[in-house]
Amino acid sequence: MSTEKTWTLRTRKMLANPLLQRKQMIIELTHHGLANVSKKDVSERLAKLFKVQDVATVVVFDLKTAFGGGKTTGFALIYDTLAALKKYEPLFRQARAGLLKREKTMRKQRKEKKNRAKKLRGVQKVKGKKPKKEKTK
């Protein structure tokens, strides 16, 4: 066995998706001698391979290492522009990539807000307004 710490990248099922302004593909990584490969390294190599100017438009996710190591499969999306990424990519992946700052509220506050919203209906529920009290004569 060689003691090299290199890895290779192969793309499968490449699909150009013009409606979502992106290219999407399945990626296969072989990395004998390494436990796994970071998403940052994979996205940098994909950007170089597909001649993308901005590495931030490359999104790598769902990497799964096979039992015993040595092989990993996952998904990659390469958006045409950063604006398209911000429009179509889920917020949690944008936050993961560092493009979006999410303020985390306390668990108790989230639960209290949920229970207050149960008492409201329609537009009030969305806006979080308090229900109007009925006047008694």
Side-chain angles (χ1 to χ4, degrees):
M1 284 186 102
S2 65
T3 57
E4 289 184 49
K5 303 284 190 211
T6 59
W7 56 278
T8 58
L9 170 74
R10 289 184 61 222
T11 60
R12 290 191 307 119
K13 297 189 178 181
M14 166 105 170
L15 179 73
N17 191 337
L19 289 175
L20 296 177
Q21 302 172 19
R22 70 184 184 196
K23 294 181 206 79
Q24 50 199 52
M25 65 203 77
I26 295 175
I27 55 175
E28 290 180 346
L29 308 167
T30 53
H31 47 88
H32 299 290
L34 289 171
N36 53 22
V37 184
S38 72
K39 290 179 191 176
K40 183 182 173 195
D41 293 342
V42 174
S43 60
E44 285 173 359
R45 185 158 312 173
L46 274 170
K48 194 169 114 182
L49 185 69
F50 287 96
K51 297 176 179 71
V52 178
Q53 282 81 23
D54 193 4
V55 180
T57 60
V58 179
V59 181
V60 178
F61 62 97
D62 206 23
L63 292 179
K64 293 192 166 84
T65 306
F67 181 74
K71 185 178 178 184
T72 301
T73 57
F75 295 98
L77 306 172
I78 302 173
Y79 284 91
D80 296 342
T81 61
L82 199 59
L85 183 141
K86 289 186 177 189
K87 183 177 180 183
Y88 297 117
E89 197 64 15
L91 296 178
F92 75 94
R93 276 198 224 133
Q94 288 183 35
R96 213 182 263 172
L99 300 171
L100 186 72
K101 183 71 176 142
R102 301 282 293 219
E103 286 83 30
K104 198 160 187 192
T105 56
M106 301 277 240
R107 185 166 188 244
K108 188 169 184 176
Q109 286 177 336
R110 289 194 307 262
K111 286 176 172 280
E112 287 172 353
K113 183 180 176 187
K114 174 193 63 119
N115 289 329
R116 279 195 306 271
K118 283 181 183 177
K119 298 172 187 168
L120 304 174
R121 294 182 55 130
V123 179
Q124 291 178 339
K125 185 178 279 197
V126 176
K127 293 183 180 176
K129 291 183 179 176
K130 294 188 167 116
K132 292 181 182 177
K133 302 227 176 180
E134 295 181 19
K135 294 179 184 177
T136 56
K137 290 185 179 182

